[in-house]
Amino acid sequence: MTQSVSFWTLGIGFVAPFVVFGSTPVFAQNVGDSFVVPNLPIQYDRGRNTGVLDRSRPEFDALGVKLGGFTLFPRVETTLGYSDNVYQTDTARTGDASFELSPSARLTSDWSRNALTLESGAGIKRFLSETRRNQETWYVGGSGRYDVGGQITVSGSARTQRAVEPPTSAAYPTAAAAASQYQTTQFQLNAGYAPGRLRLQGGVGFVALGFDDVLTFGNGVISQRNRNSHTSSGTGRAEYALSPDTSLFVQGSYERVDYARPLASGIPNRSSDTYRALGGATFDLSTLLRGSVGIGYIRRSYDAAIYRSIGGLTAEARLEYFPSPLTTVTLTGRRLIEDASFTNSGGFVNNTAALRVDHELLRYVLLNAQVGYERDTYRGSNAKLDIVRASGGVRYVLTRIFGIGASVTHDLRSAKGTGAGTSYHETRFLLSLVAQK
């Protein structure tokens, strides 16, 4: 008898990264981070393997507060930190200590059908001496899923947040004395249909970005209004299950970026259209390996004739290897096109790769180590940017309510050519205490 295979019975679902001590997502600044989140992430989890960070720990998991058909998960994290290069400069390095308070809450539904999640949080960071680097961040968002019936689902999300741009960003204003902060608002709507072995998915999204002006070391002001933009995108994917553990997919996407202001007086900005086609496979094999690999073509065409169109190979991959139930090794990589931040280049090719190892030393002690590399090559310019990030950390779950963590991170930014910014290296130490309900 031939075994029946369907995406509906395989239980394919996207598993988002989470912090072991709590239920509120933390948006880390990793190598390769993007302001625009894909509106249709590639899915590969079929429930065959469980990573160290995905594993349920009933004796330590937060219970939350029952509120009718919902559960509220409050959480607060306090962090003591130290940076040996607060301003991320290659000369006159300045070290300073900091304190950060990050309260958050997540409200999730307990319904048998459909789902709704609401969340909010804030972050207040204060430096001991270099107060120009003080930061305030916050976010409010929600997501939901509606089970239409049969094999049809519809999901959506909305989120607005005030965030801080990572200094390793290719577009970061390296002459800034204060942190570069921005406001982003995102909307997404996805739908899926899974008849038998076939799975069809579609998604549309909208992202608005607005950057604050920043102060320089000479008390001048750097205007970042020319970075404000609106991005509209759409993605479609068809996936076919060859077996319960392997499927093939093809995917196409379109992205329209509109900048609100010219790049400079008399110089048009980089409003553009981007097309991307991707094909590959997703798999969840035995107890050893799961992931996805896709390769294709991408092309970005600019409205202004002064910027040359950019096209070429694009790729996206994520592999999780399980040498033992206590260890997860994750390898990620991608190749995309992004917009440049200076006048003599339209955009750059962004190549990133990262390796992370998570290990459960004890049921309540989790170790991690990771290294990431990014290479940005600018078209129409001799500028090149190399970024390396290495880090290690430990999380100790004391009780269901309390946990502590410690980490050390080293960033190296090497810039070459005109307009690529400055080179620097920085080491940061963090010690955190988490309380949750």
Side-chain angles (χ1 to χ4, degrees), residues 50-254:
T50 303
V52 170
L53 297 183
D54 303 328
R55 186 173 299 122
S56 175
R57 295 171 175 82
E59 68 273 34
F60 296 117
D61 291 342
L63 297 178
V65 180
K66 293 294 182 180
L67 299 173
F70 292 84
T71 302
L72 176 66
F73 295 93
R75 182 178 184 271
V76 62
E77 180 174 3
T78 56
T79 304
L80 296 176
Y82 178 81
S83 167
D84 69 350
N85 191 0
V86 174
Y87 295 105
Q88 291 87 33
T89 62
D90 55 348
T91 58
R93 293 159 53 88
T94 302
D96 197 10
S98 63
F99 171 80
E100 186 169 6
L101 178 66
S102 304
S104 61
R106 184 168 67 103
L107 184 68
T108 62
S109 63
D110 301 323
W111 309 330
S112 58
R113 284 178 57 85
N114 310 320
L116 177 64
T117 298
L118 302 175
E119 59 184 2
S120 66
I124 302 172
K125 187 174 184 178
R126 293 291 182 266
F127 283 87
L128 186 63
S129 301
E130 306 304 318
T131 56
R132 288 182 293 188
R133 280 301 205 196
N134 290 348
Q135 304 167 12
E136 294 88 27
T137 60
W138 56 266
Y139 67 89
V140 177
S143 61
R145 187 194 73 248
Y146 178 64
D147 301 322
V148 179
Q151 294 104 358
I152 302 176
T153 59
V154 177
S155 62
S157 65
R159 181 186 183 91
T160 184
Q161 67 175 1
R162 180 172 174 80
V164 176
E165 183 178 8
T168 51
S169 167
Y172 191 84
T174 53
S180 174
Q181 297 198 257
Y182 64 94
Q183 182 76 29
T184 177
T185 301
Q186 305 182 27
F187 301 95
Q188 297 183 28
L189 180 63
N190 298 334
Y193 176 54
R197 290 174 177 258
L198 184 65
R199 181 183 178 95
L200 303 176
Q201 294 174 284
V204 294
F206 175 82
V207 179
L209 281 171
F211 288 85
D212 293 355
D213 296 343
V214 291
L215 293 176
T216 67
F217 292 98
N219 292 322
V221 176
I222 300 175
S223 174
Q224 299 198 93
R225 296 178 184 177
N226 60 5
R227 300 181 65 189
N228 298 348
S229 66
H230 293 163
T231 300
S232 302
S233 61
T235 303
R237 180 188 304 130
E239 193 166 359
Y240 182 77
L242 299 177
S243 68
D245 53 26
T246 304
S247 64
L248 302 178
F249 72 88
V250 291
Q251 174 180 303
S253 62
Y254 167 76

Side-chain angles (χ1 to χ4, degrees), residues 420-434:
T422 60
S423 300
Y424 75 87
H425 61 90
E426 177 194 15
T427 301
R428 297 185 302 279
F429 301 90
L430 297 177
L431 179 64
S432 61
L433 171 65
V434 173

